[in-house]
Amino acid sequence: MMLSRKKPAVGPGSGNTVSSAKDSKKKRKLPKLEDFLQMRDYTGAITLAEFNRNSGKGSEETNLWIAYTAFHLGDYKKAMEEYLALTKSEACHPDVWVNLACCYFFLGMYKEGDEMALKGPKSRLQNRLLFHLSHKFNDEKRLMTHHQALQDIIEDQLSLASIHYLRSHYQEAIDIYKRILLDNRDYLALNVYVALCYYKLDYYDVSQEVLAVYLQHYPDSATAVNLKACNHFRLYNGKAAEGELKTLQETASPSFSFAIDLIKHNLVVFRGGEGALQVLPPLVDVIPEARLNLVIYYLRQDDVVEAYNLIKDLEPTTPQEYILKGVVNAALGQEQGSREHLKIAQQYFQLVGGSASECDTIPGRQCMASCFFLLKQFEDVLIYLNSIKSYFYNDDTFNFNYAQAKAAVGNFKEAEEIFLLIQSEKIKNDYTYLSWLARCYIMNHKARPAWELYLKMETSGESFSLLQLIANECYKMGQFYYAAKAFDVLERLDPNPEYWEGKRGACVGIFQQIIAGHEPKETLRDVLQILRNTGNPQVEYIIRTMKKWAKENRFPVS
């Protein structure tokens, strides 16, 4: 403990005078609005501007700056309200109308944005805004008019690149961004746009490389880190992607606030749909992908009707939307036995798979395979699936469809091998899987595993159908022992004369195989027991004949 001091802590002689002549000359310099704007500190700028207005120092210029900073902070509603108040003034600056239109645009109020933009004077900003609005209204003629008015200046070219991106013309957008970057290396944000285009083209590793240039300078950028997380999701898994977003959430820089909804949405995707019903419904009309991901969630939960209700009114404009509408219609068509829905699905798949931009992509080839699958043209299905199978070796859904196509063209050996690669318990308990695998076993002369598939099933309409399949397919393939067993169970479940005829033919077939030495004599005991399960008068004659042969060959059967 310090018990004594040589100098007093405060007062004369302390050496730490509170106010000295030197210090009095130094006055703290108050920040100016221009300083905040120069540093792009829009939070500081709007705080100062609002302080000035509330303290009676405000003016129309102050109001303009508040609207401007609110817009750049992503608070479009506040910016809209400020600009709207300014339009009430007789001395309203004519550019305010276009600025107000920009706010409406970002709020998704395109009709109102269009009306306000047309009230303002002609300018490059007005043309760019109307160019984008024409795209939103799907007005091609008007879009081309504004396209022709674009000039070879950076702002106009960036606007053109964004329209290319929105129309899925990613390579054209990349070309524009790269051309601008050649002359403006310091426009680092363009690297994010280029990376986003490469992401959309499925070049995730290239996207990562380009993105790294920007992240070196701005490691806490919400947009860039989110894109990096999406690349990790595609290249690795959801856990790796979630790790990237966790870092972003911990830093929580000013750029983070506007991206909260996007990050919440992406975390649901990275976690395989966890929390989808809590997070996605409010975002359906905010983030375009939210509707699509909610549809995917419903499909994974086998709620096909809910998925259809969510997507039925969506007018598809991107390949992903066409594909998802195709998948939902295909699922609904198969569930309800609706030819109409299956035809719609086939047309959607054909549109994507046949388009110039998608025909050589993996989703494009999957679409053509799906189209031919619905048309039952399995030779054509295999042409497309063979070209992409190396990308889906461990994908259960792909293998399920691939194996069915192989079996449908008679390649049962390969089909069996592919069916057995499937790990999903849901698929393995599906009747379609069980019936196709049973057929493959039988066609590959492995009737016993097919019979064991039936024994593992619980009694139901599906198990009865599988029994019929085993009985008929085994009979056709000369595997009479299991055909007889199957027909025996069918006859006991349903005394249909056809089942007796099938059992009789199968038992006689086994007897012939025993005589020819193709079946062990011990099998005859089982055959006799199967025959005794029937009260048909023909049974006694058949049993007598078999016993006579056994006696002549000194083989005891009873």
Side-chain angles (χ1 to χ4, degrees):
M1 192 185 342
M2 187 172 69
L3 299 174
S4 63
R5 294 184 65 104
K6 288 193 174 181
K7 286 187 180 182
V10 291
S14 67
N16 191 24
T17 310
V18 176
S19 58
S20 64
K22 188 178 178 183
D23 289 340
S24 64
K25 289 177 185 176
K26 288 184 179 178
K27 291 184 180 177
R28 289 187 65 187
K29 187 181 177 185
L30 286 172
K32 293 181 180 177
L33 185 65
E34 292 78 5
D35 299 330
F36 286 119
L37 294 171
Q38 188 71 32
M39 295 184 291
R40 296 189 181 184
D41 181 358
Y42 299 113
T43 305
I46 199 169
T47 304
L48 180 60
E50 286 182 330
F51 174 78
N52 288 339
R53 182 164 70 179
N54 295 336
S55 59
K57 297 177 186 176
S59 63
E60 187 176 333
E61 187 182 357
T62 306
N63 296 337
L64 282 166
W65 281 120
I66 290 171
Y68 175 87
T69 48
F71 182 89
H72 281 77
L73 281 168
D75 191 349
Y76 305 115
K77 187 171 181 290
K78 181 178 175 62
M80 175 199 74
E81 290 165 353
E82 293 289 341
Y83 282 127
L84 210 51
L86 285 163
T87 61
K88 304 279 189 343
S89 165
E90 289 182 12
C92 171
H93 194 286
D95 288 342
V96 166
W97 295 107
V98 178
N99 293 341
L100 175 59
C102 290
C103 296
Y104 280 131
F105 179 85
F106 280 99
L107 288 167
M109 301 164 71
Y110 303 125
K111 189 180 175 186
E112 293 86 345
D114 196 45
E115 289 171 5
M116 295 302 113
L118 292 171
K119 285 186 178 182
K122 284 194 174 184
S123 65
R124 290 201 290 262
L125 176 59
Q126 184 206 48
N127 183 63
R128 289 194 293 271
L129 179 59
L130 293 173
F131 183 42
H132 276 266
L133 284 165
S134 302
H135 168 72
K136 294 294 182 186
F137 296 141
N138 290 317
D139 189 335
E140 287 294 314
K141 188 177 178 183
R142 186 176 159 190
L143 182 110
M144 291 312 296
T145 302
H146 292 294
H147 184 181
Q148 288 163 5
L150 293 174
Q151 297 175 24
D152 191 13
I153 57 171
I154 289 174
E155 291 87 346
D156 283 9
Q157 289 304 303
L158 288 175
S159 185
L160 177 59
S162 65
I163 289 291
H164 278 312
Y165 176 87
L166 292 169
R167 290 162 77 91
S168 302
H169 302 156
Y170 303 118
Q171 192 55 57
E172 289 86 340
I174 289 170
D175 292 343
I176 292 172
Y177 291 136
K178 283 188 172 179
R179 194 167 65 243
I180 296 171
L181 271 168
L182 277 174
D183 299 323
N184 304 275
R185 292 284 180 187
D186 56 328
Y187 286 10
L188 293 171
L190 294 187
N191 289 290
V192 179
Y193 300 159
V194 173
L196 191 55
C197 291
Y198 279 125
Y199 173 84
K200 290 288 188 178
L201 289 168
D202 298 341
Y203 294 133
Y204 308 117
D205 47 354
V206 179
S207 177
Q208 283 291 77
E209 288 176 23
V210 176
L211 193 60
V213 177
Y214 183 79
L215 283 169
Q216 283 173 359
H217 293 82
Y218 303 101
D220 63 345
S221 162
T223 305
V225 174
N226 180 64
L227 179 54
K228 185 181 179 184
C230 293
N231 279 324
H232 277 228
F233 179 65
R234 296 292 187 179
L235 289 168
Y236 310 113
N237 51 46
K239 198 171 180 181
E242 197 177 335
E244 291 296 329
L245 286 190
K246 192 177 179 184
T247 308
L248 178 62
Q249 287 171 308
E250 286 169 356
T251 55
S253 68
S255 70
F256 178 74
S257 57
F258 82 92
I260 287 174
D261 286 343
L262 183 63
I263 286 162
K264 279 162 60 179
H265 166 273
N266 286 353
L267 281 173
V268 169
V269 177
F270 298 159
R271 291 168 181 168
E274 185 185 319
L277 292 179
Q278 290 76 36
V279 175
L280 298 183
L283 301 178
V284 161
D285 294 318
V286 179
I287 297 170
E289 290 85 354
R291 181 183 298 274
L292 306 185
N293 283 314
L294 190 55
V295 169
I296 291 168
Y297 173 80
Y298 284 132
L299 286 175
R300 285 178 175 166
Q301 301 303 310
D302 292 326
D303 195 345
V304 179
V305 174
E306 198 63 47
Y308 177 72
N309 289 336
L310 192 60
I311 206 171
K312 65 181 179 181
D313 296 324
L314 175 74
E315 282 299 321
T317 55
T318 66
Q320 290 77 17
E321 289 169 352
Y322 278 104
I323 291 169
L324 199 52
K325 284 206 81 165
V327 170
V328 171
N329 276 282
L332 193 67
Q334 288 171 334
E335 188 177 89
Q336 299 182 351
S338 166
R339 279 186 166 187
E340 184 187 347
H341 285 297
L342 290 174
K343 189 178 179 184
I344 291 168
Q346 179 253 313
Q347 288 170 342
Y348 278 132
F349 289 140
Q350 195 166 12
L351 267 172
V352 177
S355 69
S357 61
E358 296 296 315
C359 64
D360 286 326
T361 65
I362 292 171
R365 293 186 182 191
Q366 284 178 296
C367 283
M368 284 311 295
S370 301
C371 168
F372 287 123
F373 203 105
L374 293 175
L375 292 169
K376 294 183 166 50
Q377 297 176 19
F378 295 105
E379 294 282 0
D380 294 317
V381 171
L382 289 173
I383 290 171
Y384 286 96
L385 293 187
N386 282 330
S387 71
I388 57 173
K389 67 179 180 180
S390 59
Y391 298 96
F392 296 98
Y393 182 77
N394 292 318
D395 188 295
D396 286 343
T397 305
F398 177 86
N399 285 332
F400 187 33
N401 292 323
Y402 191 38
Q404 287 179 76
K406 286 279 186 185
V409 299
N411 194 340
F412 296 105
K413 188 174 183 299
E414 281 189 45
E416 179 193 328
E417 291 169 0
I418 298 164
F419 274 126
L420 294 175
L421 287 173
I422 294 170
Q423 300 296 312
S424 166
E425 288 301 320
K426 182 183 173 186
I427 293 176
K428 286 162 80 171
N429 290 323
D430 187 271
Y431 176 71
T432 305
Y433 173 87
L434 292 168
S435 60
W436 272 111
L437 181 57
R439 186 178 282 111
C440 289
Y441 278 143
I442 295 163
M443 293 300 170
N444 294 330
H445 304 285
K446 299 176 184 176
R448 183 172 176 172
W451 178 250
E452 287 170 354
L453 285 176
Y454 161 71
L455 294 178
K456 289 174 186 173
M457 286 184 78
E458 294 178 9
T459 304
S460 64
E462 288 182 349
S463 66
F464 189 79
S465 298
L466 185 64
L467 203 55
Q468 288 177 310
L469 184 146
I470 292 170
N472 290 304
E473 295 296 336
C474 282
Y475 195 99
K476 280 196 290 186
M477 293 301 292
Q479 297 176 75
F480 296 117
Y481 177 65
Y482 287 99
K485 284 170 79 76
F487 277 123
D488 179 46
V489 177
L490 285 168
E491 188 191 24
R492 281 185 277 162
L493 292 170
D494 179 10
N496 188 322
E498 286 184 5
Y499 296 144
W500 155 245
E501 290 169 11
K503 184 165 91 169
R504 180 187 64 193
C507 289
V508 172
I510 300 167
F511 186 45
Q512 285 179 320
Q513 288 175 337
I514 292 168
I515 293 169
H518 299 313
E519 278 280 340
K521 291 177 182 178
E522 289 76 18
T523 310
L524 192 57
R525 294 192 186 106
D526 292 338
V527 174
L528 292 169
Q529 185 57 51
I530 289 169
L531 285 166
R532 288 187 184 115
N533 292 334
T534 304
N536 193 290
Q538 296 176 4
V539 168
E540 288 306 317
Y541 173 73
I542 298 169
I543 289 176
R544 198 163 54 245
T545 304
M546 288 180 177
K547 280 186 172 181
K548 183 182 176 186
W549 177 86
K551 188 177 180 182
E552 288 171 356
N553 287 272
R554 298 179 182 181
F555 178 68
V557 290
S558 58

